[in-house]
């Protein structure tokens, strides 16, 4: 399946995030395994079937392709993650490394597959599976090693690069379609049958499997409406055409006496199926999402929509007042605009109150969701200022995201900051390798504990101050006073707990605590220097030559 177009439609219509994740993840693993199986079938078609020995050889090849691809992809992903971590604030090099890990993993896997022989047996690795695994490592582990200042460049580059690559693929597909020496009107029936077979096969790969997953109750159930979209939304694209191009031009079958080759016939069926999914399935996914009401706002999202609209309108009113005081607009224009935006603010506030009346339990959840967003913002600032390490940042971020999921599902919040959550398998693998090569001392573990609870205390304190300021300025926007005080009691309790844990860890650190706090201060001031210099350069208040010299001074600790 090709998820690019489907995910774009999901994003446009606001489909559930979990559905998009399932769709994309299934497609990635689908690509690797399907190509591995295809290459084995193609090998049998070319070399011929010779009984049980052929099946054994095919099974061995499939196993080595999958296992070898996974291991080699992990290796490449972690190697390039380390390389990215060694580059500091250089968007060109860091972006280039992310491009290299994708292309180099694919190329090196192909080279190994053509030259690796053990005990007279060719060993083949799946280049797609290796590339997928390397990309997953970069996306889940290496992304935190990307310099904070480069994150914006990275997102924009890969967003455009994905758009460009996908566009080129479909242009090339059209050229291939036009170049086939086949009269397609003679293949309407075979293409129609192929489309039907593919649709049935897709349905059989979705409904029974998801039914088993839901029956096992290992995670939240996948609704029937999601299953319908997973089945119908399986667009075909680049990989299917790539497979066809791998078929030898000389491949034939006994009794084949047509004017076109086997490869051209399969290409016609494949491209016909691809165009059916693009012209029929892709154009009906949007109406399906609307009919199944997957794009409708949940009660919590409705409250967040009206609250955000009220906050934005309030900011506009403040800016409008500033324009008036500075004489940018005339009095009659000011009064007209003020009346318009004041009405919008009051409408949003009334809409919030109406939502609260329909479900009072959503008041606290909306406030907690806002608070968790504030937590995530200040956590990122601490990471940028190097006041916490990468592992501590990821652990706290994981905790915040789990809390947010709990809020969205209406589940209970944390009872204390000591609650920890299981790390994903990438982090477990990294910890296992790191501790095996260089075990951490007891003192190192205590200092990590201190930084962890110190960061928690700082973040929670900022959230408390932000919530109190918000309540004073926008009374009633996030619910009544009782709901607000309940949330504040929770955050005060969490902050006191974090402060207590931090002080306990500080006592264990002893004399090294002052050195640690000094390093925090120096790192924060270092970032403040860079920020001030960036502002001067962005406002064209400083020659570039002087800016470079000052950057070098900051790195050397002169400024």
């Amino acid at each position: 399946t090709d998820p690019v177009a489907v995910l774009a439609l999901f994003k446009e219509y606001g489909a559930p995030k979990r559905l998009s994740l399932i769709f994309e993840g299934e497609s990635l693993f689908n690509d690797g395994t399907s190509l591995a199986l295809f290459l084995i079938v193609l090998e049998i078609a070319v070399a011929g079937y010779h009984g049980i020995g052929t099946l054994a050889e095919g099974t061995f090849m499939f196993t080595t392709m999958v296992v070898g691809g996974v291991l080699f992809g992990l290796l490449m992903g972690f190697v390039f993650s380390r390389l990215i971590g060694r580059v500091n604030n250089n968007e060109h090099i860091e972006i280039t490394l992310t491009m290299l890990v994708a292309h180099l993993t694919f190329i090196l896997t192909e080279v190994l597959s053509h030259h690796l022989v053990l005990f007279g047996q060719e060993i083949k690795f799946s280049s797609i599976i290796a590339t997928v695994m390397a990309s997953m490592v970069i996306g889940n582990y290496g992304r935190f090693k990307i310099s904070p200042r480069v994150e914006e460049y990275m997102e924009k580059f890969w967003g455009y690069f994905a758009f460009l690559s996908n566009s080129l693929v479909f242009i090339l597909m059209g050229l291939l379609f036009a170049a086939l020496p086949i009269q397609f009107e003679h293949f309407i029936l075979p293409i129609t049958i192929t489309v039907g077979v593919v649709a049935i096969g897709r349905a059989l790969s979705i409904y029974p499997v998801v039914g088993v997953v839901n029956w096992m109750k290992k995670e939240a159930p996948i609704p029937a409406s999601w299953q319908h979209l997973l089945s119908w939304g399986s667009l075909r694209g680049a990989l299917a055409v790539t497979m066809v191009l791998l078929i030898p031009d000389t491949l034939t079958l006994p009794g084949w006496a047509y004017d076109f080759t086997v490869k051209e016939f399969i290409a016609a069926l494949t491209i016909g199926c691809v165009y059916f999914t693009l012209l029929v399935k892709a154009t009906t996914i949007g109406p399906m999402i609307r009919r199944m009401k997957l794009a409708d706002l949940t009660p919590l999202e409705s409250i967040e929509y009206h609250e955000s609209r009220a906050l934005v309108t309030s900011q506009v009113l403040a800016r409008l007042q500033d324009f008036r005081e500075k004489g940018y607009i005339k009095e009659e224009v000011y009064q007209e605009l003020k009346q318009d935006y004041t009405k919008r603010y009051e409408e949003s506030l009334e809409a919030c109150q109406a939502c609260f009346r329909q479900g009072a339990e959503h008041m606290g959840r909306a406030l907690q969701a806002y608070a968790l967003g504030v937590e995530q913002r200040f956590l990122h600032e601490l990471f940028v200022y190097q006041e916490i390490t990468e592992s501590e940042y990821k652990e706290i971020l994981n905790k915040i995201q789990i809390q947010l999921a709990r809020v969205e599902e209406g589940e209970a919040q944390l009872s204390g900051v000591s609650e920890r959550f299981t790390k994903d398998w990438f982090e477990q693998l990294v910890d296992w390798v790191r501790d095996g090569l260089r075990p951490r001392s007891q003192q190192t573990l205590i200092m990590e504990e201190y930084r962890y609870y110190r960061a928690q205390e700082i973040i929670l304190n900022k959230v408390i101050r932000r919530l109190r300021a918000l309540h004073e300025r926008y009374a009633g926007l996030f619910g009544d006073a009782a709901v607000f005080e309940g949330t504040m009691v929770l955050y005060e309790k969490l902050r006191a707990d974090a402060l207590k844990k931090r002080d306990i860890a500080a006592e264990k650190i002893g004399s090294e605590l002052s050195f640690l706090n000094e390093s925090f201060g120096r790192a924060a001031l270092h970032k403040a220097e860079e920020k001030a210099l960036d502002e001067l350069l962005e406002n064209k208040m400083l020659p570039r030559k002087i800016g470079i010299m000052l950057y070098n001074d900051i790195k050397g600790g002169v400024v």
Side-chain angles (χ1 to χ4, degrees), residues 424-443:
D424 60 44
W425 68 276
F426 284 107
E427 291 305 314
Q428 293 180 16
L429 180 61
V430 170
D431 291 345
W432 179 75
V433 173
R434 180 187 60 189
D435 293 339
L437 296 176
R438 189 175 58 186
R440 290 171 292 176
S441 65
Q442 186 64 29
Q443 187 70 4

Side-chain angles (χ1 to χ4, degrees), residues 311-518:
L311 290 173
V312 170
T313 307
S314 176
Q315 294 293 327
V316 171
L317 284 170
R319 193 67 181 270
L320 184 62
Q321 178 66 27
D322 183 55
F323 287 168
R324 179 199 186 191
E325 293 174 356
K326 292 180 179 179
Y328 292 167
I329 57 176
K330 296 181 178 180
E331 181 65 25
E332 57 270 20
V333 175
Y334 166 76
Q335 293 296 338
E336 182 180 350
L337 292 175
K338 180 182 178 181
Q339 183 179 1
D340 180 23
Y341 279 94
T342 301
K343 181 180 178 182
R344 296 186 192 183
Y345 177 79
E346 292 173 349
E347 289 175 349
S348 299
L349 189 60
E350 175 56 32
C352 284
Q353 298 299 326
C355 291
F356 294 152
R357 288 191 293 271
Q358 293 175 3
E361 71 277 5
H362 299 307
M363 286 192 286
R365 290 170 59 194
L367 186 59
Q368 288 173 0
Y370 179 86
L372 289 168
V374 176
E375 281 190 57
Q376 193 162 330
R377 173 198 164 185
F378 286 114
L379 172 66
H380 187 262
E381 285 190 7
L382 289 178
F383 183 55
V384 171
Y385 294 157
Q386 300 178 356
E387 294 193 37
I388 52 175
T389 63
E390 177 189 329
S391 62
E392 293 149 7
Y393 171 70
K394 286 188 283 190
E395 185 171 1
I396 299 175
L397 180 62
N398 182 48
K399 181 174 72 73
I400 293 173
Q401 291 174 340
I402 291 175
Q403 285 179 267
L404 190 57
R406 287 182 175 184
V407 169
E408 292 173 350
E409 296 298 327
E411 299 176 357
Q413 272 294 347
L414 293 180
S415 57
V417 292
S418 299
E419 185 175 355
R420 299 291 180 97
F421 300 96
T422 304
K423 295 182 179 180
D424 60 44
W425 68 276
F426 284 107
E427 291 305 314
Q428 293 180 16
L429 180 61
V430 170
D431 291 345
W432 179 75
V433 173
R434 180 187 60 189
D435 293 339
L437 296 176
R438 189 175 58 186
R440 290 171 292 176
S441 65
Q442 186 64 29
Q443 187 70 4
T444 300
L445 293 174
I446 294 173
M447 293 182 74
E448 289 179 358
E449 184 179 2
Y450 174 80
R451 284 194 298 264
Y452 177 84
Y453 288 115
R454 176 182 178 273
Q456 292 273 58
E457 192 274 332
I458 292 174
I459 293 168
L460 293 169
N461 186 47
K462 289 182 177 292
V463 170
I464 291 170
R465 291 165 56 188
R466 176 64 63 87
L467 292 184
R468 290 203 179 279
L470 194 71
H471 184 64
E472 291 175 2
R473 184 172 180 180
Y474 306 102
L477 185 59
F478 287 88
D480 55 30
V483 169
F484 172 78
E485 288 302 328
T487 304
M488 294 303 300
V489 167
L490 171 64
Y491 271 90
E492 290 285 3
K493 180 179 180 297
L494 293 174
R495 178 182 173 276
D497 191 16
L499 187 59
K500 181 180 178 181
K501 299 288 185 183
R502 186 204 68 179
D503 292 342
I504 293 174
E507 292 179 2
K508 296 178 182 179
I509 294 175
S511 59
E512 295 185 35
L513 181 61
S514 59
F515 172 77
L516 188 62
N517 286 328
E518 181 184 351

